[in-house]
Amino acid sequence: MSRGSLPLAGAMILAWGLVYLVTQRVPDPPLEVGVTMLIGVALTVALTIGYPSALRGPRKPRPPRQPGRHGRTIAAVGRSMPLRSGLTTEAAERAVALLHPLLGGDAVAITDQERVLAFVGPGSDHHTVGDAPQTESASRVLARGKTSVVRSKAKLGCPEQDCPLRSAVLAPLSIGKRVVGTLKVYRLDEVPPPRELVEGLAGILSLHLELAELDRERKLAVDARLDALRAQINPHFLFNTLNTIASKARTDPEEARRLLLRLSDFFRYAVRQDGQLVEFGQEYYFVRTYVSLEQARYGDRLNVRYDIDPQVLTANVPVLTVQPLVENAVKHGIADKVDGGTVLLKARVDPLTRTTSIRVADDGVGISQEVLDRLTTRDGAANGGVGLSNISQRLEVLYGERYRLDIQSNDGGGTVVELQIPLR
C-alpha cells in the first residue's frame, strides 16, 4: 500500500463510524439499514475522488509555455530555406526575413557578386536592392571567399553620414569553390554579431545553393536527353510514311490527305511539347497517331489493342516514353513477322501503391539477346534502337530508384516491356 493510501483508509473508517453514529445512535428510532448503507457508499465515493486532490492541495496554474528566443530554430529555418530555388532577389528577400530573428544582428543582407539582393533592418532606406556591395570588406569576401569582421563604422564604407550601422560580419556564399555572394549581418553598436553563427548559417545557405545548382544541371541533362530522343525519330519511319502517302495520293487522295495531317500532328507533338511530363492522355493520343500511320503502311498485318484504365488518362508520364516502346514493338516484333501480329498497350493506376503501370506486349518474332543488348546501351540509337537507353536514363533522373523498366523477350516468343513509375 502506498504512502498516500494509508491516510485515505483511515479517513474512510472514520467516515463509516460517523455514519453509524448519525444514523443508528442519534435518531430515535434508528434509520433503516438500507438508508445507512446508501449514505455510507455515497460518502466513500466522495472521499475516494476528492481525498487525493485535497492531499495535493490547490492545483497550481501551468506555467506559460516559454517560446525560444525568436520562436524558430535554426534547423526549422534550414528546412524551409528559400535559396533552395537559387540565388534570386525573391528568394533572398524571403531568406533574410527568416534569418533576421536568428542571427543576433540588427540588419541582415544578402548579395550576389554585383548587387544587393535583399536587405532588412535599420539602414534599409539607403541600403537598397540593386546597389553594389558598398564595402571593401565585401569585395575581399567575394575575391577570397573568407569571412570578414568589421568593428567600426568607418570600415563599413557606407556613404550615408546618418547610417546607424556600426559593425558587421560578412560571410561568403559559395557553390563548391566558387563564391557567388555574401551574407551580411550588421549591428547598431561596435560589437559585431557572433562570427560562428553567421558562418554556420552562410554554410547552410551555400548548401542550398549547391542543391539548387544540381537541380538545374539535372534539368539541363534530362532536357538534353529529350532533345536527343526527338532528334533520333527514325528517319526510315518518315521516309516510309511519305512513300505510303505518295502511293495513296494516286489511289485514295482523301486518305492521303488524312495521313498527311496525322504526320503533321505527330511531328508537332514530338518537337513542340514543353516540359518533361505530360498527361497520359496526350501521350496516348500521340501513340494512336503513330499507330494510324504505321497501319496505313502495314495494313492488316498490324493489329493494335488498347486496354486503358480511364483513371490513367490524367496521370503524368514522361513525354515521349510510351510511343518509343510501341514503335520498338512494331519495328522489332511485328515488321519481320510474315503474317504480322498484335501489339497490346495496357495502362493502369494503382491508388494503393500510388503507381502508374504501362505494359507494351507483342506476339512478334521477339528480340534476340544481342539486339536487346544493343538497344539498351548508350549508343542504342546508332544501332537502330528507339531510345530504350535514353528513356531509362531520363527515368533515372526524374524518379531516382522509384521506377521499374523490365524487358522480357525470346526469339519467336514476342516481347513484353513493363514500365512502372510513381503516380503524380
Side-chain angles (χ1 to χ4, degrees):
M1 186 176 290
S2 66
R3 182 182 300 178
S5 63
L6 290 174
L8 177 60
M12 293 178 65
I13 294 172
L14 178 60
W16 275 99
L18 290 173
V19 170
Y20 177 77
L21 288 174
V22 171
T23 60
Q24 301 298 314
R25 293 299 183 183
V26 175
D28 188 17
L31 298 179
E32 295 181 1
V33 175
V35 176
T36 302
M37 293 296 295
L38 183 60
I39 295 173
V41 170
L43 189 56
T44 300
V45 172
L47 283 170
T48 302
I49 296 175
Y51 190 80
S53 297
L55 285 178
R56 288 193 299 265
R59 179 173 293 181
K60 296 180 181 179
R62 180 178 293 178
R65 186 176 180 181
Q66 297 293 331
R69 179 185 173 193
H70 303 293
R72 299 200 67 174
T73 64
I74 292 177
V77 170
R79 288 191 295 270
S80 59
M81 190 57 63
L83 291 191
R84 184 68 170 79
S85 59
L87 192 57
T88 64
T89 299
E90 180 183 0
E93 288 176 348
R94 287 185 287 144
V96 296
L98 284 171
L99 294 176
H100 186 223
L102 288 173
L103 283 167
D106 298 301
V108 178
I110 290 179
T111 77
D112 59 15
Q113 291 182 318
E114 299 178 351
R115 61 195 180 97
V116 177
L117 298 178
F119 189 101
V120 63
S124 58
D125 57 334
H126 58 277
H127 291 267
T128 55
V129 173
D131 289 347
Q134 296 173 336
T135 65
E136 293 183 8
S137 298
S139 300
R140 288 197 298 270
V141 172
L142 290 169
R144 302 175 185 176
K146 295 183 179 180
T147 300
S148 177
V149 180
V150 181
R151 292 183 168 85
S152 68
K153 179 180 178 179
K155 293 184 179 180
L156 281 178
C158 180
E160 193 72 24
Q161 293 296 324
D162 296 330
C163 181
L165 305 177
R166 295 291 185 272
S167 62
V169 173
L170 292 74
L173 301 177
S174 305
I175 298 177
K177 296 182 178 180
R178 177 167 52 96
V179 179
V180 295
T182 62
L183 171 63
K184 300 180 178 182
V185 184
Y186 298 92
R187 292 286 293 271
L188 298 178
D189 53 37
E190 295 188 355
V191 179
R195 173 174 178 160
E196 294 78 8
L197 178 60
V198 178
E199 286 183 326
L201 282 171
I204 294 176
L205 292 176
S206 296
L207 175 61
H208 282 262
L209 290 174
E210 288 190 25
L211 293 174
E213 182 79 0
L214 289 174
D215 284 345
R216 188 182 69 85
E217 291 177 355
R218 183 176 67 172
K219 184 179 183 302
L220 290 175
V222 76
D223 286 344
R225 291 190 180 99
L226 181 57
D227 290 341
L229 186 60
R230 287 176 173 137
Q232 75 179 55
I233 291 177
N234 200 326
H236 295 291
F237 163 72
L238 175 61
F239 178 76
N240 292 328
T241 302
L242 289 175
N243 274 344
T244 301
I245 293 173
S247 64
K248 293 282 186 183
R250 294 189 294 271
T251 60
D252 191 347
E254 184 62 25
E255 176 67 10
R257 186 184 70 84
R258 285 195 294 266
L259 290 175
L260 199 58
L261 291 175
R262 289 173 187 168
L263 183 62
S264 175
D265 290 340
F266 178 87
F267 280 99
R268 184 180 297 110
Y269 179 90
V271 174
R272 295 184 180 179
Q273 190 66 42
D274 292 330
Q276 291 294 332
L277 299 176
V278 295
E279 288 187 348
F280 180 86
Q282 297 182 51
E283 191 80 357
Y284 180 42
Y285 177 80
F286 181 55
V287 168
R288 298 199 69 139
T289 301
Y290 162 76
V291 168
S292 67
L293 293 170
E294 290 288 47
Q295 284 178 327
R297 174 187 172 194
Y298 290 106
D300 294 338
R301 291 181 56 225
L302 175 60
N303 181 35
V304 180
R305 293 171 46 216
Y306 303 99
D307 182 4
I308 308 298
D309 180 359
Q311 294 184 64
V312 83
L313 294 175
T314 56
N316 284 337
V317 297
V319 65
L320 290 181
T321 297
V322 183
Q323 184 272 335
L325 300 182
V326 175
E327 183 173 346
N328 274 325
V330 174
K331 179 179 179 181
H332 298 285
I334 307 303
D336 295 333
K337 191 174 181 180
V338 175
D339 54 350
T342 300
V343 176
L344 169 65
L345 172 60
K346 180 178 180 180
R348 291 287 186 272
V349 165
D350 188 340
L352 294 179
T353 61
R354 295 195 57 78
T355 56
T356 300
S357 299
I358 299 168
R359 177 186 176 97
V360 178
D362 67 75
D363 58 359
V365 298
I367 304 175
S368 67
Q369 189 60 48
E370 180 183 357
V371 173
L372 191 58
D373 289 341
R374 291 205 311 267
L375 293 179
T376 53
T377 58
R378 291 184 179 273
D379 58 348
N383 290 310
V386 191
L388 282 178
S389 174
N390 187 307
I391 292 171
S392 180
Q393 293 169 39
R394 289 172 54 219
L395 291 171
E396 185 175 351
V397 172
L398 290 171
Y399 302 110
E401 297 181 353
R402 296 176 298 146
Y403 82 95
R404 181 171 62 86
L405 179 63
D406 292 333
I407 305 173
Q408 301 292 331
S409 184
N410 297 302
D411 281 338
T415 303
V416 177
V417 180
E418 298 206 31
L419 171 62
Q420 188 177 82
I421 59 176
L423 180 62
R424 290 189 177 181

